[in-house]
Structures are given as C-alpha cells and as structure tokens.
Amino acid sequence: MDRINVPPPGPTDLPLSLLEMGCSGRFELITHPSPDQPLLPQSTLPHGLPPTSLSLDREVEKQFLRDAAWLPIHDTDLAFQKFLKVAQREVNVDSLINSAHSALHSGISVVRDPTTGMLLDFTEVLLENTGLSAKNSLSLQRQPGPPSESLRGSNTNYPFHPGGMEELSLEQIKKRSDLEEDIDFENDLLRVPPGLKAGMDFTDKEAKVAKAEVNLMSLLSTLEDIPVLQPAVEETEESKEKEEAPKLPRTNSLEDLGVKDVVSSSTLSKAGKDDKSKPNENPEENVKWAIPVNINAPCNNFYKLIPNPAFKWPFELDVFQKQAVLKLEAHESVFVAAHTSAGKTVVAEYAIALSQKHMTRTIYTSPIKALSNQKFRDFKTTFGDVGLLTGDVQLSPESSCLIMTTEILRSMLYNGSEVIRDLEWVIFDEVHYINDAERGVVWEEVLIMLPDHVSIILLSATVPNAVEFSEWIGRIKKKHIYVISTMKRPVPLEHYLYTGNSTKTQKEMHLLMDATGNFLTKGYYAAVDAKKERTSKHAQSFGTKSTSHNTTASQDRSVWLTLLHFLSQRQQTPVVAFTFSRTRCDDNARSLDSMDMTTSIEKAEIHSFFQKSLSRLRGGDRQLPQILVMRDLLKRGIAVHHSGILPILKEVIEMLFSRGLVKVLFATETFAMGVNMPARTVVFDSIRKHDGTGFRNLLPGEYIQMAGRAGRRGLDATGTVIILCKAGVHEMADLHVMMLGKPTILQSQFRLTYTMILNLLRVEALRVTDMMRRSFSESHRDTQSHEKRISQLKQMVSSLPPLDTEGQLSDMLPYYHTVTELRTTTEALQCAILESVNGLKALSVGRVVVVNNKQHLNALGVILQVSSDAVNRTFTALVICEKGNEEEDGKGNNNKAFPHLYNTALFIPEGPCSHTVQKLKLHDISAITVKTLKVIPDRIIDNYSKRQQPRFRLDPPGQAISTATQELLRLAEANPNGMAALDPVNDLQLKSVDVVEDSMRLRVLQSSLREFNCIHSPTFAEQFARVDERMKVQEELDRLLFLVSDQSLSLLPEYHQRIKVLQSLQYVDSGGAVQLKGRVACQISSHELLLTELLFENVLSPLAPEESAALLSCLVFTQKTQVEPHITSTLQEAIDRVLSVAKRIGELQRECGIPQTAEEFVGQFKFGLTEVVYCWARGMVRVHCFVDAAGAYMQSLFG
C-alpha cells in the first residue's frame, strides 16, 4: 500500500485521529477536546506479534525443580540436608518466630460540637473483636472472609455458633471460672501439644525446695499491736465459704458451659436480661416450645394487623395461611402441616417477599432436584432475584433467595459461608423426608447447626407428631415453634375402583370413598361382583383373590386404552398415572401408539417448544432414541417422568404439563414429592411397591401424598383418584388402611457419618456428643426434669445424718454392697428357676419353701396352688406364724431390710403356732427345700376361706390344716439353722453359664457375710437403715447423672468405634486433631473414606479422564448386573485397586467394632455402569452396543 502524506491540521480541521485496536488490524476514530492537547497513543498494544503463551511444563520445571527456594529449610532428614548444601541454602532458625502483626485494639474517634458540628478533639476508643476471624472464632462479629469463600465457605473456616448454644458473656464466664476446679500446675498439665507427636518435660528433677530457716509470720504473731494481721482471719473465713461452693470440671464444650447447671434459677432470673423473642429459660418451669395455633378462629383483623403486606395474592388466603403470615411478620418460626396442594407454598412466598423487603436473604431447601428446578422457575417468575444451587448447577448465587438441596446448606453451615450472616429465613419443604433412612440425617444436622438469628419455616404433609417434632426443634434452638396444621383439602377427593378393560365395560368405575371421607362398602362389593361376573364367563374362577398380581402386556394395554378413552370423553384430563416401575412406565406409554389426545394447535405448540428447548444440545445428542421416542409421545399428549429420563427432557415435560399440553403422564413416586403440578385425575397402576427389600402395600402417607395431586384449585370441584383392578379387586382391609390409616410419624434417622465427625472435630468448641445429644433420636431425654430432680437429691444427701463407720461398723459399707450383690444374684437365680421347666415342676403342690417378706422372716410354708398366669405367676401357700400375726398389716420394719440374706435360722414361734394362707410372688420365696408334704389343697383353702368370715372366725381349723401346720413346725424344730435347698445346677439340672456362675457366686457371698464385724454391733440395725436410705438416694442420683451425661447416649459406642477407624487411617491423631487426610474427607459428603484413600494412594493418577469417570461410576450405580464389562487393562487394574482399598477399610471397620462386614462394605460398590460411562466419556454418542452392560438402567436412558 502506498504511503499517503497528509498535510498538518489547520485551524478549521476537526480534532480527529485513528486508534489502532491491538494487533487485529481494526481502527477506531477518536476525537480530542481541543487541538492544543497532545494526541493519545496511536495503539492499545505494542507493535509487533502478540506474546505467545507460556509453556506450563517449563514453568513447573523452572519453579519446582531448578529453583530450590520454595523448599523448606528446617527438615531434619539427612538426605534433605545434603540437598540444601548443594542448593547453597542455610538454615535460618529466626525465620520460624516471625509472625504477622496483631490487629490494632483501638482507634481514633472525632469529638464534635453537637450544635455546630465543629471538630473539637480526637479521642481513643477501644475496638472489640479485632482478632476474630473465620479461622479462630464462631462469632458473627468476626471479620468476613475473602470474597472467593463467601458462598460455599472453606473447610478451614469455623462454622457460626449453632442456635441454642449461646456465646457466654464475660460475667458468666467469670462466674463459671470461679466455680471451676483449681488446676494443679505441677501434676495436671499436658506436656504434648495437640497435633504434635512429642512434647517437653518441664519438671526440674534436681531442684530441691529449701526449707525456710526463719518463719517471719511466727515472729510477727508475737506482736499484738500489728493491725494488718487482724483482717487475715476474716479472709480465711471467706475463703472457707468459697471452698464450700461446688467445684466443676473444666470443659471446652459450649454445651457444658451452660451457667444454669451451676447458678441457681433465682440468680439467673436476676442476672438475665429480658428477651422478647425468647421465653424465660428458668429450668424450674416446664417450658412448652411448640405452640399449636387454632386455625378454626377466623382472622378478621388480618388486614388491620398487616396494612402493608410484603406480598399480595390475587386470591383470598385461607385461615391457616393468614395465621402463618401473622407469625412470619412477628419473626417467629412456624411448622405448617397440610395436605398436598393445600397452599403451603404461600408461606414460603411471603417469607421470600419479607426478606427482600428487609434486604436480607432466604434459603429454600428441597429433598429432590425436580422440586428445586420447579421452585426456581416459579420463584424466578414471581420475585426475579432468585438463585439456584445444586450439585451440578449454580445460577445467580448472589441473589436474595437461594434454592438448594439440603446437603449444600449443610456444607455451607460447616464451612462458615458468609451467606449465613444475612440469612433471615430457611424454608424446609417436604420436611417429612426426614424419615428417609439414607438422607434424613442431613435435615437434623442442618436444624442443629443453624445460628440463632435464623428463623425456620417447616412445610410438611400432615403428620401425627408435628407438635412433638416442633417441641424438639424449639428445645434445641431455644425458640418457640408455632404449629399450624390443617386437615382440610381445598379440593375434596373421590376415590374409585376401576374394573373395566374393554369398550363394553369402560364405565365400570365404582365409588369407594366419597368427598366427605366415607368408605363405601357398597362400591367395593359392586367392583367385586363386576370382576367376578367377567372372570366367571372366561376363566370359571370365582373369588376376589387372584393367584398373581401380575398381568400381561396386552391386558395392561387394553385396560389403559379403555380407561383413557373413558376419561377423555368425560373431560377428566390431564391424568397422572403413578406406576412403581420405570420399565412399566415406558412400556405403558409406548403401548398407547394408537391414542392421540392433542389438537393440531397443541401439536404445533408442543413441537415449537420442544425444538426450542433442545436447541442447546449437540446435533448428535438430539438424535438419542429416548429423545426421538419422547418427541413422538409428546406430540400425542403422552409423557413419561422418572429418574431414568434425561434431566433436560424431564424439565421440558414438567413445563409442558404445567401448561396443560401433556394429557397423560406416566410417573413414578418422585413426581409427587412436592412438585406442584396438580392434575384433574390421578390413577394408581397398582397399590404395591418395592421398597428396596421387598414388595409391600402403599403406606397411608405415601398414598395421600400421591392422591393429593388430583384436583386443581379453582378449576375442579372434586379431584378423581382411580385405583386399577387389573388382576383382581384388592382386599378391603388393605384399601381401608391405605385410605383412612394414620400417616407415618416423623422418626429420627440420625446416624454418625465420618464427614460429620471430622467437621466437628476440627472445631474445638463443638463436640460430636453435643450433636448426638441434640438429635431428634435423643429427644426423649427429659434433661430439664432430670436436673431438677438431681438438685433435690443432692439436697437430700446433704441433709441425711452422717454415717457411723468407726470401730465395729468400719466394714458397714462393704457389708451393704455385699448384701446388695447377694440380693441381685438371688433374684437372677429365681428368675432363671421360674423360666425353666424343672423349676416350675419343683414349685408344685406340696413343696416346702422358705418365705421371706414384710410379714414373715424365714418362715416355712407349703405350696397349695400355682396360678396359670405365666407373666405374673403367684403361689398360694400355707405359712406358719405367731399367734395373732395371721393377717398381713403391711407394716414392714425397715431396720430388718435384708436380715434373711445373712441369717438362715428358721422361724420357730415362741408361743402357740398359728398359720395363714397367702398368695406369694416369686421374690417372696427365698429357698426351695428338698422336702415335700402330702396336703389336700382344696380342703385347706376352703377351710381357711370359711374361717375368714366373721361368724366362723372362732371355729377350730380343719384336720387338713392342723396336720400340715404341725408338719411344718416339726420340720422347723428339726432344722433350726436352715433346711437343705434344691441346688439349681445339681438338682434342677440348669446348666447354663449364667446359672452356674450365679450359683457359685451365691455360695461365696453367703459365706463371706459371716466374716463381717458390723453385724455384731448393738447399733447395727439403726446404722444399716441409715446406710440403706443414703445408698438408695445415691443410687437414684447416680442413675440420673448417668442419664444426663454423654455416657447414656445411644450412639456413643459407635462414635468411639468410628474414632478408632479414623485414628487407624490417620485422619485424626490420638489427641483428636484433624490431619490432612481428615480435612480432605471433610469436603466429601458420601463414601468419604474410600475416595480419600484413593486420592492419597494416587489410584486416579495413571488414568485418563474418561477412565476416572468410568471408575467413579461405582459410587452412584446401585443396580445388580450379571454382565462382565469389557474395559481396558488399566481400568481393570484400577477397579482391583478400588476393591482392595474398600476391603481394607471394611476389615478395619469390623476390627474396630462396627457391625457392617467387609463383604457388605465392598458390595455397595458396583461396576455395572463402567463400560457405558467409559464409552460415553470418550465421546461415543451412540452406545447401543453397550446397553446390555448397564442393564435396565441404561436401557431406560438410551432407549
């Protein structure tokens, strides 16, 4: 190109110039404000070629191989020291003590004139919480972390303080520290710091304490005129009073730092400040945290109380919705339990609107992704400022309303996410999902870990124990939970049995339960008769029961075609057909190839929307068999929705269904889980499902959840629920229980996971036992009443008279413990005898026994009758006694509580011998003798009963009674020191280990009783009663102290077992400090041990990316397959490595006491999907040849 000479600009020329845009060859015309100013640079980049990208390999080699400056210089390894000499680096010990400057604790504030605002002076002010950060504090006053960690947090961050475990004030800490035990600075100090393997010994072994030659105080004490020494006496008295205060063990747990355990409730009520948002936390009062709200009372003043609501709806709210909105305006937490489609989402919408009004944030959690996606679409349309966080999607994370799964919220809480600071509401939708055995623990963890400033909204289907569940939440969060429960359905349901299967029988729909909830047996028997009439014509088989629940594909097709034609004629579409099998969903939809339920306009709309939605897919992906099949089905108004459908297809189907373009939707149970897409009719293909272990009928809660999708509010007067009777009519009892039974109660599924343990161990102020104590599974622990009773028992113990243990009574306490053990052993032997066949034979009519109770002491008796009640067996016996002591007056002498256990001398009456007939319990019989008497039981009992009447009271006893009484007296006089008793082992032939050990222990204890000196003391009876009274109180106190301690936690043994596993794998050290492997495992929510071990053993390093993806498919694939995958040798070696690591972990867990076997642990990792994932990751779109390898799962995914 020829160069053009341009003349210099004149005074009339415009100030223009060209700017070269980089090295792309583009130019832009720019202007200047005046010709006098210098020109801008003529280029945005230096001239010449653009810089080339750096070679990563060379940069890594330069930084880590050639430059030794990045290596540490204080390693003690000998080889490393040689390397430092070669690299010419010297050890610099002083660099180890360099630390960052601490933050300033004060600042400068300006003093101004309040009238003119003129600056008068500067003053220094103290700054609080300057040293707090996310790495050392749980306080909300700590400094925010870096912006990169604001959303998800970091695994090195501390979580924020869980609500209910408050930070203590300085005054409370001071009161606590004053009452704590003094530390012995010579014996109790730790010598090994946490996290280190070795420590230091600070004791000076050679130093000797020199004895003072002159005691100055002894010299000064001779001077009487020194006034300084007089107050010392008062000080010592004060110190004694202080010493009498209860001493408490030191602890690092926030849960144990509750001042209420130490200070009396009266002191707390004076010291505590009034808090409007929280009730009085006086342990003397039984606070009810769950408050049921009466929804029958109308809210006439609703609009007066809330003149300017944060959100307005185009319809009038129901009473329960208004009550919930009023509580939200008061910033209270609520539990809303209502039927499906009753309008629980209104509560969530108002909370989101309130947070936007308050400029705070709301988190909406759901159990499944389908619900998250739908709520994101709905809330995005309504509020705009809404974000979505799931495992694989992150949209608008800076929004004021975030929709996420509960697992992500748990991770944010553990990692100290900055989002928690601005959080006002957390909405838990479908909270009855807490019953899920696998994931239910996540809900409990999140509820426990939420900070105090966050209010809770719980949305659930109707559950029987909503108040109990809310009471647990309120107790652990120290805030009231308002329970709003309604059984009203906005659209009542009618339940039918359908027996039709052809055009002639298509109208055979029998009403089983009407809209008012009445179960109609007439409709049931009509269905039975219709089915019986048809089967009698074809198969000649009568009866309602069918030999099989299964039907053929052609029978299913005819039933569905008949039903859907019938519903189309009655305009009862759209229809949701719940089918509890993904394969059967697909088969039912494909069998309707002759049915077309859409108009031409609807077909065009479906085609346009479908093509537009799938435009994001690559060309090859648009031709997947599943997409082609679904496109054909959708054009005819039919769709399928289950976990085997591609996510983008499921979203398309949900949106088309909500717009009314899908007329029939075959879905599995997950579609009913909160997805707000009601239909006109709901059809149940069957009422039996497979729950992972076997087939069973639907539970009432499951049926109500799915049936509630019938009936569109404002469109339908009633919703229609149809149960298909394909093979036969279901049993009436099963249908009645399913429709009218109580829903499943909320139950705790709390369990310990390694992730939970590691996340809590890395924070010193939180303990795993605190989490266990506050779980729903431990909600039965009435700690409040236990603590009240403990304080009463402590006062009782202190008020009891002191024990005399001097002289002869020095062995009183050992004697008491021996007697107690003797009693326990005797009771155990008696139970074993009663439960045995030979023992019951021995305790038969005529057997002579030794009786001991409040009325008799070592008295002989003979058994007359044995009751037939196996649970509370009684023995009617004739017992000899003193004259005048025939009737039991119930006055027992406590001073002779256990005399029979050490004195075997038989009772011999001092005066005339009398008798009584009593019903004895087993514990009244202390010995079964070897003697038997011939008695006539009926005569004895009849004669004794007759003489109990007033007019026959003075009659002489009958001959049978007199003979038996004289025989018992003769035996007692012949054996004054005791009779020989039947031996449980030798005579009764009881050979179990427990009986043999108890029998031997009984002989040893009985012989040892004679060696005690206390029994010879004249005051023995009185002192033994004192010991007995004190020990009974002490035993109850010890029992209650155990119940409120960590040792009574049901999961504590498992916790210790899992800690052993973590220590063996070096995730934590012996002191409980989390190591590097443990910090890695904190970031993994499932299979954390296996994945961490694979990472640290570099199992994934030699694998290509597609091989790694294929290998890790074993963590998500759950189905059993018999086909061996055809894979590369490298991948096969990796699979063997995974199995060996899993086996090693399983065996270690078994050794540490965890009940799961190594085979069960290894068996949960299945590699049936490995080959398909490998081919897919390599970019092979068409994988028909590998479908067999994945079985039915991949068959449903790829057609």
Side-chain angles (χ1 to χ4, degrees), residues 639-698:
V640 179
H641 188 287
H642 56 67
S643 57
I645 302 295
L646 292 169
I648 188 171
L649 268 186
K650 276 200 290 190
E651 196 167 347
V652 168
I653 292 166
E654 290 168 9
M655 297 176 77
L656 287 174
F657 186 86
S658 62
R659 293 165 65 171
L661 297 175
V662 173
K663 308 300 181 182
V664 180
L665 178 65
F666 291 94
T668 52
E669 188 178 359
T670 54
F671 185 78
M673 185 59 71
V675 180
N676 186 22
M677 294 181 184
R680 178 75 187 271
T681 305
V682 164
V683 180
F684 286 90
D685 179 73
S686 173
I687 64 169
R688 293 178 63 79
K689 62 174 283 190
H690 194 278
D691 60 359
T693 57
F695 283 95
R696 60 168 174 81
N697 289 336
L698 290 177

Side-chain angles (χ1 to χ4, degrees), residues 1077-1089:
K1077 291 173 73 173
R1079 294 192 176 275
V1080 172
C1082 283
Q1083 298 299 298
I1084 306 171
S1085 59
S1086 62
H1087 306 299
E1088 52 271 18
L1089 292 189

Side-chain angles (χ1 to χ4, degrees), residues 18 59 94 258 341 374 629 718 800 825 844 947 998 1029 1039:
L18 292 175
E59 286 297 312
D94 294 339
S341 303
Q374 191 224 352
V629 170
T718 59
L800 290 174
T825 308
S844 56
R947 288 187 294 111
D998 288 344
E1029 182 182 7
R1039 182 181 65 83

Side-chain angles (χ1 to χ4, degrees), residues 30 37 268 295 388 419 490 634 679 695 706 734 745-746 840 881 988 1037 1080 1182:
I30 59 174
Q37 291 186 357
L268 269 182
I295 63 166
L388 177 66
V419 173
L634 285 172
F695 283 95
M706 287 180 274
D734 295 340
I745 64 172
L746 295 177
L840 291 176
C881 60
L988 299 180
L1037 178 61
V1080 172
R1182 304 246 177 212

Side-chain angles (χ1 to χ4, degrees), residues 614-629:
L614 297 183
S615 60
R616 290 178 291 171
L617 295 179
R618 294 181 302 174
D621 290 342
R622 295 180 202 169
Q623 301 303 315
L624 284 173
Q626 189 181 91
I627 291 179
L628 297 177
V629 170

Side-chain angles (χ1 to χ4, degrees), residues 856-1137:
H856 304 287
L857 173 62
N858 286 353
L860 287 183
V862 59
I863 294 178
L864 304 175
Q865 197 175 53
V866 181
S867 69
S868 58
D869 187 1
V871 179
N872 298 311
R873 195 179 298 277
T874 58
F875 305 90
T876 305
L878 173 72
V879 187
I880 59 174
C881 60
E882 291 279 5
K883 187 74 173 177
N885 193 31
E886 293 88 353
E887 295 183 5
E888 182 179 0
D889 54 5
K891 295 179 182 179
N893 190 353
N894 291 332
N895 292 339
K896 298 180 180 179
F898 304 110
H900 60 284
L901 292 176
Y902 61 86
N903 184 12
T904 59
L906 294 178
F907 163 75
I908 299 176
E910 297 177 357
C913 179
S914 185
H915 61 271
T916 180
V917 175
Q918 289 182 350
K919 286 189 176 182
L920 304 176
K921 294 284 188 181
L922 182 69
H923 57 77
D924 296 330
I925 301 173
S926 59
I928 305 173
T929 68
V930 297
K931 295 288 185 180
T932 57
L933 297 180
K934 290 184 179 180
V935 293
I936 308 174
D938 295 338
R939 288 188 184 180
I940 295 175
I941 294 173
D942 292 343
N943 182 263
Y944 183 80
S945 300
K946 175 184 175 183
R947 288 187 294 111
Q948 296 307 302
Q949 299 178 20
R951 59 176 179 167
F952 302 115
R953 192 177 295 276
L954 300 177
D955 289 2
Q959 180 65 33
I961 291 182
S962 299
T963 304
T965 304
Q966 292 301 320
E967 284 294 322
L968 291 175
L969 180 62
R970 184 183 62 79
L971 287 174
E973 291 174 343
N975 304 278
N977 294 325
M979 291 184 64
L982 290 176
D983 186 81
V985 179
N986 299 325
D987 297 328
L988 299 180
Q989 300 298 313
L990 302 181
K991 301 296 185 181
S992 68
V993 177
D994 294 336
V995 172
V996 173
E997 289 181 350
D998 288 344
S999 181
M1000 295 173 63
R1001 187 184 300 114
L1002 193 64
R1003 295 193 194 96
V1004 173
L1005 291 172
Q1006 287 175 340
S1007 62
S1008 66
L1009 287 177
R1010 303 185 184 92
E1011 301 173 0
F1012 287 95
N1013 296 322
C1014 59
I1015 60 177
H1016 305 295
S1017 171
T1019 60
F1020 166 73
E1022 178 186 355
Q1023 293 300 325
F1024 187 86
R1026 288 186 181 181
V1027 171
D1028 184 43
E1029 182 182 7
R1030 176 180 288 271
M1031 295 307 292
K1032 284 182 177 177
V1033 176
Q1034 189 64 44
E1035 286 172 5
E1036 185 182 359
L1037 178 61
D1038 294 341
R1039 182 181 65 83
L1040 292 178
L1041 287 173
F1042 171 76
L1043 289 178
V1044 299
S1045 70
D1046 291 343
Q1047 302 304 315
S1048 64
L1049 294 172
S1050 58
L1051 291 175
L1052 190 67
E1054 183 186 349
Y1055 168 62
H1056 292 311
Q1057 292 163 1
R1058 291 186 181 270
I1059 286 292
K1060 288 181 182 178
V1061 174
L1062 293 174
Q1063 289 177 346
S1064 301
L1065 294 174
Q1066 299 181 351
Y1067 286 60
V1068 297
D1069 63 8
S1070 58
V1074 181
Q1075 305 301 301
L1076 177 61
K1077 291 173 73 173
R1079 294 192 176 275
V1080 172
C1082 283
Q1083 298 299 298
I1084 306 171
S1085 59
S1086 62
H1087 306 299
E1088 52 271 18
L1089 292 189
L1090 179 70
L1091 284 171
T1092 306
E1093 292 299 310
L1094 295 180
L1095 289 174
F1096 276 83
E1097 292 185 11
N1098 286 328
V1099 175
L1100 303 178
S1101 297
L1103 302 180
E1106 56 269 17
E1107 291 175 328
S1108 298
L1111 180 67
L1112 296 179
S1113 67
C1114 69
L1115 304 178
V1116 296
F1117 187 63
T1118 57
Q1119 296 187 0
K1120 296 180 180 179
T1121 57
Q1122 303 295 332
V1123 181
E1124 288 293 330
H1126 302 285
I1127 51 179
T1128 63
S1129 59
T1130 308
L1131 191 53
Q1132 185 60 51
E1133 291 176 3
I1135 290 176
D1136 296 338
R1137 289 279 301 279

